[in-house]
Amino acid sequence: MDAFDVTPRLRLLRFPVGQAYLWRDGSALTLIDAGAAGAGVPIADAVRGWGHAPEDVRRVVLTHFHEDHVGGAAEFARLSGAEVYAHRLDAPYIRGEKPGPPPVYEDWERPLHAQALTQLPEPLPEPDLPSTVVELEDGDTLDFGDGARIVGAPGHTDGSIAVHLPHHGVLLTGDAVAASPVDGQVVLGVFNLDRERAVASFHRLAELESDVACFGHGDPVVAGAAEALRTAASGYPLA
């Protein structure tokens, strides 16, 4: 796993598939997404590498239920004592109460998904799942980043969310938006449950004021993010 600072208060953790982020408020940290199964210990090591203890992480905010974002949540929560948060529509899948619905793949996405699966760890015989998930709604505010706003971004999954830190000009989009690995261009996230709703969510996120945008996949936009998202979203007409 690679780790580097996006800003002095925001660190990106890059896994073989997907990314997570650490936000720092003095001595208190928040983790946004948690990688695939087995990522708990590497995340703890990354926290220590940033000069903190795992116990400094107060909460884990999950942007959606897919394995490459939630697989390490339970392990890291046990190591740190952090609470796990997710939108109420995705929380039952994260707790393992029922299987989550699969994406509706575009034909061109199928080989990309097959390739991604080869980079994920083998499924555990008994999934390591958080028993308790604090359920979120669109518009909720959490106590970090001087008021972190939860922004509903359905389409990738029904309960996909973004995290907006308006006082810092930071937007964390989960998989609603991505950056192309080829040229770094901002694009609609892939592997969506409902593409029409995903496009609408892309437009909603593009209207937020942000200078920095961080994605579940691909390099962040570190300046002028709102303009970059608006330009990219214009290429995906609303239905």
Side-chain angles (χ1 to χ4, degrees), residues 11 30 43 47 50 68 77 80 97 125 128 139-140 148 171 194 224-225 233:
R11 173 159 281 207
T30 296
I43 291 171
V47 170
W50 213 24
D68 56 322
S80 63
E97 295 168 4
D128 190 6
D140 283 351
L171 177 65
D194 184 326

Side-chain angles (χ1 to χ4, degrees), residues 16 27 36 51 53 79 87 89 97-98 126 129 148 164 195 210-211 218:
S27 62
L79 291 170
H87 191 278
L89 293 179
E97 295 168 4
K98 53 185 177 179
E126 292 292 332
L129 304 171
H164 186 214
R195 190 178 192 277
S210 59
D211 192 48

Side-chain angles (χ1 to χ4, degrees), residues 193-216:
L193 183 63
D194 184 326
R195 190 178 192 277
E196 185 175 311
R197 294 180 77 199
V199 169
S201 291
F202 191 176
H203 281 263
R204 183 186 188 195
L205 298 181
E207 290 305 312
L208 300 174
E209 291 305 319
S210 59
D211 192 48
V212 174
C214 295
F215 315 118

Side-chain angles (χ1 to χ4, degrees), residues 28-111:
L29 304 183
T30 296
L31 176 68
I32 295 94
D33 287 328
V41 170
I43 291 171
D45 289 342
V47 170
R48 295 185 186 98
W50 213 24
H52 294 267
E55 293 79 11
D56 292 336
V57 180
R58 308 295 172 80
R59 64 191 66 80
V60 181
V61 181
L62 302 175
T63 61
H64 61 290
F65 74 83
H66 289 161
E67 162 62 20
D68 56 322
H69 292 256
V70 309
E75 179 184 22
F76 182 75
R78 286 196 302 274
L79 291 170
S80 63
E83 290 188 299
V84 177
Y85 292 71
H87 191 278
R88 65 174 177 82
L89 293 179
D90 275 19
Y93 312 132
I94 294 167
R95 290 190 293 259
E97 295 168 4
K98 53 185 177 179
V104 178
Y105 297 107
E106 305 282 329
D107 287 343
W108 61 270
E109 291 178 334
R110 295 183 184 278

Side-chain angles (χ1 to χ4, degrees), residues 122-127:
E122 289 293 324
L124 298 172
E126 292 292 332

Side-chain angles (χ1 to χ4, degrees), residues 95-219:
R95 290 190 293 259
E97 295 168 4
K98 53 185 177 179
V104 178
Y105 297 107
E106 305 282 329
D107 287 343
W108 61 270
E109 291 178 334
R110 295 183 184 278
L112 294 179
H113 185 254
Q115 182 183 16
L117 288 177
T118 66
Q119 300 178 65
L120 288 172
E122 289 293 324
L124 298 172
E126 292 292 332
D128 190 6
L129 304 171
S131 58
T132 302
V133 177
V134 180
E135 297 188 2
L136 299 170
E137 295 279 1
D138 177 34
D140 283 351
T141 300
L142 297 181
D143 187 22
F144 70 94
D146 297 299
R149 181 181 169 218
I150 301 302
V151 184
H156 187 65
T157 67
D158 287 336
S160 285
I161 59 172
V163 179
H164 186 214
L165 308 180
H167 291 283
H168 299 276
V170 172
L171 177 65
L172 301 111
T173 72
D175 281 3
V177 187
S180 168
V182 176
D183 57 12
Q185 293 297 307
V186 177
V187 295
L188 179 71
V190 296
F191 311 153
N192 295 306
L193 183 63
D194 184 326
R195 190 178 192 277
E196 185 175 311
R197 294 180 77 199
V199 169
S201 291
F202 191 176
H203 281 263
R204 183 186 188 195
L205 298 181
E207 290 305 312
L208 300 174
E209 291 305 319
S210 59
D211 192 48
V212 174
C214 295
F215 315 118
H217 301 269
D219 291 337

